[in-house]
Amino acid sequence: MSIFEYNGSAVVAMVGKNCFAIASDRRLGVQLQTVATDFQRVFKIHGKLYIGLSGLASDAQTLYQRLVFKHKLYQLREERDMKPETFASLVSALLYEKRFGPYFCQPIIAGLGENDQPFICTMDCIGAKELAKDFVVSGTASESLYGACESMYKPDMEPEELFETISQALLSSVDRDCLSGWGGYVLIVTPTEVQERVLKGRMD
């Protein structure tokens, strides 16, 4: 078993019309044993920027703390919030710095940039970025997430339709992966508001 599969995870981000959604499962496991069913994998950096961290849970929390520290320093120095593109480069540089003993995380970054244009990207554990215009996935359920998202996604969805699409994609994908699941957590971010919703899923 790979170290990335030790805790199990499923994270997905999807772009809509001037909005985006980021969702994750809620299971924390130790291989096949479930430890918690309310685990947080999506973290807030600022009002319009979120990061989802799949992979080893302890590394995800450590990485998040380091990123919050770096972002607060940036806010103090620049007196503004970081753009999503800039933040993606920061995460990439931070991961590549540790390439010989990496954080076992695969981050997904989602944010609203200039003119409220959605930006999503993912990277591997040493910071190799992959930009996308539609959706990005990571975690143990990534293969089934790719299939579900490919078939369900369509461009320029409104927030409510985007929520429905990403929720169905997440729930149907984690049912095909025994290391992730136990419901889901979805964030819909628009220029004016952020909606948080918790999904109920199969509890096995």
Side-chain angles (χ1 to χ4, degrees):
M1 178 180 269
S2 156
I3 189 69
F4 293 98
E5 297 172 3
Y6 186 72
N7 297 122
S9 52
V11 185
V12 54
M14 209 175 262
V15 164
K17 190 177 181 182
N18 289 347
C19 61
F20 71 85
I22 183 165
S24 75
D25 71 323
R26 292 164 62 81
R27 178 183 182 271
L28 172 69
V30 173
Q31 293 178 358
L32 298 179
Q33 181 184 2
T34 301
V35 175
T37 57
D38 58 353
F39 191 67
Q40 190 80 357
R41 282 199 180 83
V42 177
F43 304 102
K44 179 180 174 179
I45 303 299
H46 63 72
K48 291 183 178 179
L49 179 60
Y50 290 81
I51 184 166
L53 294 167
S54 70
L56 193 64
S58 52
D59 276 7
Q61 291 174 333
T62 306
L63 185 57
Y64 170 63
Q65 286 167 355
R66 283 200 66 189
L67 291 170
V68 166
F69 167 71
K70 295 253 186 194
H71 185 258
K72 281 182 177 171
L73 283 181
Y74 181 92
Q75 282 176 318
L76 286 167
R77 191 170 55 243
E78 301 279 336
E79 296 183 356
R80 64 194 167 105
D81 286 333
M82 211 179 262
K83 289 178 190 167
E85 294 86 349
T86 316
F87 184 70
S89 298
L90 168 77
V91 178
S92 180
L94 196 115
L95 290 171
Y96 192 67
E97 202 177 276
K98 290 267 190 285
R99 63 191 176 280
F100 298 118
Y103 292 112
F104 296 113
C105 290
Q106 290 163 324
I108 281 184
I109 293 148
L112 291 177
E114 285 178 349
N115 306 323
D116 295 317
Q117 281 303 307
F119 169 89
I120 55 168
C121 96
T122 184
M123 53 192 80
D124 66 4
C125 66
I126 56 165
K129 279 191 283 190
E130 183 192 337
L131 304 172
K133 293 270 186 283
D134 43 12
F135 57 84
V136 286
V137 305
S138 80
T140 52
S142 61
E143 286 182 8
S144 47
L145 273 165
Y146 268 121
C149 292
E150 285 283 1
S151 59
M152 294 181 191
Y153 177 82
K154 59 179 197 255
D156 293 332
M157 287 185 281
E158 294 297 330
E160 206 53 45
E161 191 184 0
L162 182 63
F163 165 72
E164 200 62 42
T165 306
I166 199 168
S167 302
Q168 293 295 344
L170 181 76
L171 289 175
S172 62
S173 299
V174 296
D175 283 352
R176 288 164 178 79
D177 175 47
C178 63
L179 296 173
S180 57
W182 280 81
Y185 172 77
V186 185
L187 276 160
I188 312 288
V189 182
T190 67
T192 52
E193 63 174 351
V194 177
Q195 297 175 32
E196 286 185 41
R197 297 182 187 173
V198 175
L199 307 173
K200 282 187 177 178
R202 282 178 54 154
M203 299 299 184
D204 59 356

